[in-house]
């Protein structure tokens, strides 16, 4: 505290000084980006330097390394003596430093902290991470960035004691340029990660999944030429089977130059010039393009080049649209045989983050004979969508606008929009992604309708080639216990009407499904984004005994025919592929902190319902062939 006090000049009182510090820090730090610039660093297609591995960490529930004793952030303080981001070690015995990364234990990155240390299973708060690394820039004039696949939920990022920025949102990528701060030896990258749930957050306080904290996805250093290819979209134009439309964007000092787009597989070479802002927009008519589909997930090598930079990436071409009550993939009606998936490796009991995790989950979906998955309830890691491209699995991608978001709060809306922007940016070239979902089970109100409409408009502005949906709710009618109605003002703004329903689990017993009639007036495709029942794998009994595999199996047997009675029925994603951790699920010896609605158990064993669903999908596939 002495240090702090000696900072005040004699003629200033503490209050005035504080005000001055705040104003000064706003001036100094105010311009700092709260989000990274909208560049695509394309880490899957560039040579990168991985910072994955062991990172030292300090658990800091009181945020001692962030706030001083007057609760002012050290990183807005001209003399940030106590900030952990300085990464200081005690240099002599009389020096007072009350933390040490060097002496702290390590966590594995990528990965959540909850599943790496028993004491952190329920932890919600701040943990500081630190990684030391050496880096030699390959060419003078090159630019270097640090890229995070995702950090849940807030990340304050510092390199060599300087703040790079703050990112909010737990499931989307971000990056910072570090060219001017980078040293050849001994760089210190410090990240303050805070996963406290917040009322105004996206998601908000209340969810039905584990709030895994940490640097949950890959961290990479990316080096690019001074002027480089910072973004491109190369996709079929809406409704077309042979017209590619897109753009290439350059970033750097030398923006106006020649670019080429090549697809050797169809002998296409296209040349264009970028404008002063670095952008070239084009449409290219092609012949003999093999279209991407679940039956034939054909990917072309596409090469994009400018004077100093070139990237090659595998891109599939397909069209997706709706016509009346049909979903048309490459112009042909399709039924979406799906399953919901959380981004979790049930066997490990932690966030899924790797190519192997993605393969395990999507292989299971394939075993069910799915041609489609709903990645719930937030954007999953990039391995999932890239593998879906390769395996031929259509994808619904969603942002965590879940249940009761703070609809009236502008910051919350901006946060949701930012997450959409970041995920559309990341996945705009993935053929597998056909649906952007705006929300899950959100209660209708004026404010909510406006919020969701604003998200849908924003998404269409970012990407007009994919479909928009949301998991809506269903309601009944007072005098008719067997009528179920889907009626929601937001349904007017979606391309596909999706709704969740739990008749036979939260609402009566499975036999109730046999009596249900539907009132869904929309002349649009209708899909059921969730149904399900909890079952503990290995627990057996009769089909009316809750938590048995037989109950869950019976529910599937009654639900699927009930849904098939909806005339516009064009797809379904039962809840859910695997049992998943949820702090809301507290029943001892059955749930024990797990939501048991998986058709696959925590240990990877398939439950009886798995096979009912697979048979249903086999039959549907035959009918729709
Ligand atoms: C829902 C939610 C999902 C829950 C599920 C359940 O409607 O969308 O996140 O986990 O129900 O198991 O109750």
């Amino acid at each position: 505290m002495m240090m702090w006090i000696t900072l005040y000049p004699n003629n200033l009182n503490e209050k005035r000084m504080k005000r001055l510090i705040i104003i000064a820090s706003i001036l100094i730090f105010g311009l700092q980006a709260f989000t990274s610039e909208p560049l695509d660093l394309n880490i899957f297609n560039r040579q990168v330097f991985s910072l994955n591995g062991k990172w030292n960490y300090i658990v800091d529930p009181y945020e001692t390394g962030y706030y001083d004793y007057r609760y002012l952030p050290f990183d807005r303080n001209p003399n940030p003596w106590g900030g952990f981001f300085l990464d200081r070690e005690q240099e002599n015995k009389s020096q007072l430093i009350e933390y040490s990364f060097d002496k702290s234990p390590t966590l594995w990155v990528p990965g959540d902290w909850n599943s790496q240390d028993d004491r952190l299973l329920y932890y919600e708060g701040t943990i500081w991470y630190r990684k030391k690394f050496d880096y030699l820039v390959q060419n003078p004039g090159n630019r270097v960035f640090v890229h995070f696949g995702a950090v849940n939920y807030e990340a304050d990022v510092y390199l060599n004691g300087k703040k790079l920025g703050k990112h909010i949102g737990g499931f989307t990528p971000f990056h910072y340029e570090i060219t001017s701060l980078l040293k050849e030896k001994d760089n210190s990258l410090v990240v303050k990660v805070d996963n406290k749930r917040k009322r105004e957050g996206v998601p908000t306080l209340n969810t039905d999944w584990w709030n895994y904290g940490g640097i949950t996805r890959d961290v990479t250093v990316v080096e690019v030429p001074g002027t480089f290819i910072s973004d491109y979209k190369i996709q079929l134009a809406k409704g077309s089977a042979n017209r590619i439309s897109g753009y290439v964007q350059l970033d750097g000092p030398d923006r106006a130059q020649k670019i080429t787009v090549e697809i050797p597989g169809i002998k296409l070479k296209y040349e264009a010039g970028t404008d002063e802002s670095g952008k070239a927009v084009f449409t290219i008519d092609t012949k003999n393009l093999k279209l991407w589909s679940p039956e034939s997930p054909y990917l072309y090598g596409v090469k994009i080049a400018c004077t100093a930079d070139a990237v090659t990436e595998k891109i599939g071409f397909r069209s997706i649209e709706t016509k009346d009550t049909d979903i048309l993939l490459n112009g042909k009606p399709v039924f979406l045989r799906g399953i919901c998936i959380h981004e979790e490796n049930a066997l490990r009991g932690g966030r899924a983050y790797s190519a192997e995790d993605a393969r395990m989950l999507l292989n299971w979906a394939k075993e069910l004979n799915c041609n489609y998955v709903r990645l719930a309830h937030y954007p999953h890691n990039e391995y999932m969508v890239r593998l879906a491209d390769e395996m031929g699995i259509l994808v619904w991608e969603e942002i965590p606008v879940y249940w009761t978001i703070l609809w009236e709060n502008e910051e919350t809306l901006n946060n949701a929009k930012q997450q959409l922007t970041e995920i559309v940016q990341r996945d705009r070239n993935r053929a597998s992604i056909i649906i952007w979902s705006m929300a899950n089970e959100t209660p209708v109100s004026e404010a909510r309708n406006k919020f969701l409409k604003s998200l849908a408009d924003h998404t269409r502005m970012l990407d007009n080639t994919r479909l928009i949906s949301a998991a809506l709710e269903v309601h009944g009618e007072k005098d008719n216990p067997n009528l179920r109605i889907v009626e929601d003002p937001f349904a007017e703004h979606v391309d596909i009407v999706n709704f969740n329903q739990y008749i036979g689990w939260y609402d009566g017993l499975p036999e109730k499904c046999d009596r249900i009639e539907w009132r869904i007036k929309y002349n649009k495709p209708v899909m059921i984004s969730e149904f399900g029942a909890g079952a503990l794998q290995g627990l057996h009994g009769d089909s009316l005994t809750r938590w048995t595999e037989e109950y869950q199996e019976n529910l599937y047997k009654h639900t699927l025919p009930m849904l098939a009675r909806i005339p516009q029925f064009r797809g379904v994603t039962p809840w859910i592929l695997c049992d998943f951790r949820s702090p809301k699920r507290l029943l001892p010896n059955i749930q024990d902190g797990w939501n048991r609605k998986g058709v696959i158990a925590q240990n990877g064993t398939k439950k009886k319902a798995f096979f009912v669903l697979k048979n249903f999908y086999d039959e549907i596939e035959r009918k729709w062939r």
Side-chain angles (χ1 to χ4, degrees):
M1 308 308 148
M2 280 312 291
M3 240 177 137
W4 196 215
I5 288 160
T6 53
L7 276 176
Y8 300 131
N10 294 339
N11 56 347
L12 282 176
N13 63 28
E14 186 174 337
K15 249 189 179 165
R16 259 180 78 198
M17 187 64 199
K18 251 197 227 164
R19 216 177 302 140
L20 273 181
I21 289 175
I22 291 169
I23 293 168
S25 31
I26 289 170
L27 288 176
I28 298 166
F29 296 98
L31 294 177
Q32 225 165 38
F34 259 56
T35 53
S36 49
E37 320 92 276
L39 307 175
D40 178 20
L41 293 170
N42 216 332
I43 46 161
F44 277 74
N45 299 299
R46 291 184 183 275
Q47 277 211 329
V48 294
F49 177 75
S50 173
L51 294 182
N52 290 350
K54 288 180 177 171
W55 290 49
N56 292 93
Y57 75 100
I58 301 172
V59 184
D60 185 15
Y62 280 38
E63 301 181 295
T64 301
Y66 190 74
Y67 293 110
D68 67 18
Y69 81 125
R70 293 293 185 238
Y71 211 59
L72 290 170
F74 282 117
D75 68 12
R76 300 210 164 191
N77 181 330
N79 182 10
W81 56 275
F84 287 5
F85 56 88
L86 294 180
D87 186 11
R88 296 167 73 200
E89 291 294 326
Q90 194 180 9
E91 280 157 13
N92 60 61
K93 66 185 166 81
S94 48
Q95 196 179 21
L96 177 63
I97 295 177
E98 294 184 87
Y99 67 94
S100 163
F101 280 107
D102 286 354
K103 296 193 180 74
S104 294
T106 57
L107 280 170
W108 189 262
V109 171
D112 61 84
W113 63 56
N114 315 70
S115 64
Q116 296 192 51
D117 179 340
D118 289 347
R119 289 169 308 169
L120 299 177
L121 181 62
Y122 284 95
Y123 183 68
E124 294 184 309
T126 282
I127 290 190
W128 293 84
Y129 284 72
R130 197 249 3 230
K131 181 78 173 171
K132 288 264 191 172
F133 65 99
D134 300 339
Y135 191 86
L136 195 60
V137 177
Q138 289 161 25
N139 284 313
N142 275 3
R143 295 163 69 186
V144 187
F145 294 82
V146 60
H147 179 276
F148 295 82
V151 175
N152 191 37
Y153 170 76
E154 281 184 15
D156 291 89
V157 185
Y158 309 83
L159 182 70
N160 300 331
K162 297 274 173 354
K163 186 157 193 168
L164 300 174
K166 180 187 191 77
H167 182 264
I168 296 176
F171 304 95
T172 47
F174 58 97
H175 58 261
Y176 300 104
E177 182 157 5
I178 55 174
T179 317
S180 60
L181 292 176
L182 201 60
K183 303 183 294 185
E184 281 185 17
K185 293 266 171 235
D186 220 23
N187 290 288
S188 159
L189 180 63
V190 173
V191 187
K192 173 187 183 290
V193 183
D194 185 355
N195 74 334
K196 275 196 295 297
R197 285 167 294 131
K198 296 191 166 164
R199 178 69 188 100
E200 71 280 13
V202 182
T204 180
L205 294 170
N206 196 19
T207 71
D208 185 22
W209 68 82
W210 209 268
N211 180 24
Y212 290 113
I215 305 180
T216 50
R217 296 185 191 158
D218 297 333
V219 185
T220 27
V221 173
V222 194
E223 184 171 338
V224 293
T227 298
F228 71 103
I229 299 160
S230 62
D231 187 8
Y232 54 88
K233 183 173 177 186
I234 299 176
Q235 294 276 283
L236 284 179
K238 180 106 199 143
S240 169
N242 54 16
R243 172 166 287 191
I244 292 177
S245 103
Y247 61 81
V248 171
Q249 174 75 54
L250 306 180
D251 189 273
D254 184 17
R255 292 186 184 219
Q257 51 171 287
K258 199 185 89 181
I259 57 116
T260 57
V261 176
E262 278 180 81
I263 310 180
I266 51 165
K267 298 198 173 59
L268 182 144
K269 181 161 185 181
Y270 178 83
E271 289 184 0
T274 49
D275 63 16
E276 290 298 310
S277 74
K279 192 163 192 169
V281 181
F282 45 78
T283 52
I284 312 171
D285 288 318
T286 65
K287 274 195 215 120
N288 308 325
L289 203 57
K290 269 192 239 166
L291 297 182
W292 182 100
S293 70
E295 293 72 36
S296 164
Y298 194 83
L299 300 174
Y300 283 96
V302 179
K303 183 174 175 196
I304 300 109
C306 66
T307 313
D309 195 16
V311 284
T312 300
E313 131 146 84
K314 286 191 196 155
I315 297 182
F317 298 100
R318 55 101 195 93
S319 72
I320 190 77
E321 43 188 342
T322 61
K323 184 161 185 286
D324 300 328
T325 61
D326 276 333
I327 302 167
L328 304 180
L329 177 70
N330 299 327
K332 284 194 235 108
V334 62
F335 185 97
L336 302 183
R337 311 184 303 270
I339 189 78
C340 291
I341 304 182
H342 257 299
E343 192 192 39
E344 195 172 70
N345 179 329
L347 307 181
R348 202 172 52 225
R351 272 267 167 265
Y353 54 74
S354 65
E356 294 73 35
D357 291 342
R359 197 164 286 280
M360 178 180 85
L361 295 167
L362 293 182
N363 272 344
W364 276 332
K366 274 273 180 190
E367 280 186 53
L368 271 171
N369 195 10
C370 290
N371 60 1
Y372 166 63
V373 291
R374 173 185 177 205
L375 302 184
H377 278 304
Y378 37 74
H380 289 209
N381 64 74
E382 203 168 345
Y383 294 104
M384 283 294 271
V385 292
R386 287 191 176 263
L387 190 61
D389 258 18
E390 278 174 31
M391 290 174 70
I393 299 179
L394 298 159
V395 173
W396 150 309
E397 198 150 66
E398 172 169 346
I399 54 162
V401 172
Y402 183 92
W403 290 352
T404 52
I405 295 286
L406 217 46
W407 307 113
E408 318 261 357
N409 186 4
E410 211 179 314
E411 274 306 299
T412 304
L413 177 62
N414 290 339
N415 179 342
K417 278 189 182 166
Q418 180 65 26
Q419 296 193 39
L420 268 171
T421 306
E422 287 167 349
I423 202 57
V424 173
Q425 169 80 21
R426 190 192 77 178
D427 290 342
R428 70 212 176 286
N429 287 313
R430 299 283 70 78
S432 52
I433 296 179
I434 52 166
I435 297 173
W436 300 119
S437 172
M438 304 295 104
N440 179 76
E441 283 186 355
T442 51
V444 173
S445 73
E446 279 292 318
R448 169 275 199 183
N449 301 345
K450 210 170 135 215
F451 188 105
L452 294 193
K453 165 82 167 53
S454 167
L455 291 185
D457 291 347
H458 181 69
T459 310
R460 286 202 169 94
M461 189 259 301
L462 295 170
D463 176 18
N464 67 358
T465 68
R466 292 179 176 82
L467 307 174
I468 299 236
S469 197
L472 305 176
E473 292 184 316
V474 64
H475 59 268
E477 202 176 49
K478 210 161 144 236
D479 301 322
N480 188 348
N482 294 327
L483 182 67
R484 288 292 176 279
I485 304 165
V486 180
E487 203 171 36
D488 182 323
F490 188 60
E492 306 291 346
H493 304 292
V494 299
D495 299 301
I496 303 182
V497 175
N498 265 278
F499 66 93
N500 298 352
Q501 70 79 35
Y502 282 89
I503 297 162
W505 183 251
Y506 296 122
D507 173 5
L509 294 172
E511 276 68 17
K512 183 169 182 180
C513 296
D514 306 347
R515 302 189 295 273
I516 295 295
E517 284 168 38
W518 296 98
R519 189 195 294 157
I520 308 173
K521 63 175 187 185
Y522 305 102
N523 183 35
K524 296 184 180 192
V526 169
M527 301 195 341
I528 292 71
S529 30
E530 283 179 34
F531 76 84
L536 182 66
Q537 183 269 323
L539 188 68
H540 295 287
D542 64 45
S543 63
L544 287 178
T545 305
R546 295 256 176 184
W547 307 112
T548 61
E549 287 196 43
E550 285 72 15
Y551 188 105
Q552 189 192 36
E553 178 189 38
N554 191 38
L555 177 119
Y556 273 66
K557 283 184 177 162
H558 287 272
T559 302
L560 292 164
M562 166 184 76
L563 303 180
R565 290 202 298 275
I566 300 171
Q568 312 97 311
F569 183 45
R570 293 297 180 274
V572 55
T573 43
W575 191 254
I576 183 171
L577 184 67
C578 296
D579 289 355
F580 61 96
R581 273 203 160 122
S582 167
K584 286 178 96 68
R585 306 295 173 170
L586 301 167
L587 184 64
N589 304 326
I590 299 282
Q591 293 178 311
D592 299 317
W594 289 74
N595 183 317
R596 297 289 180 198
K597 296 194 188 70
V599 292
I600 297 180
Q602 188 182 340
N603 61 7
T605 306
K606 292 167 183 125
K607 304 180 196 172
K608 288 180 151 214
F610 181 98
F611 301 98
V612 179
L613 185 59
K614 179 178 165 29
N615 289 341
F616 179 75
Y617 283 163
D618 289 349
E619 210 175 295
I620 290 252
E621 191 190 17
R622 276 194 293 276
K623 274 198 210 147
W624 280 74
R625 198 172 278 153

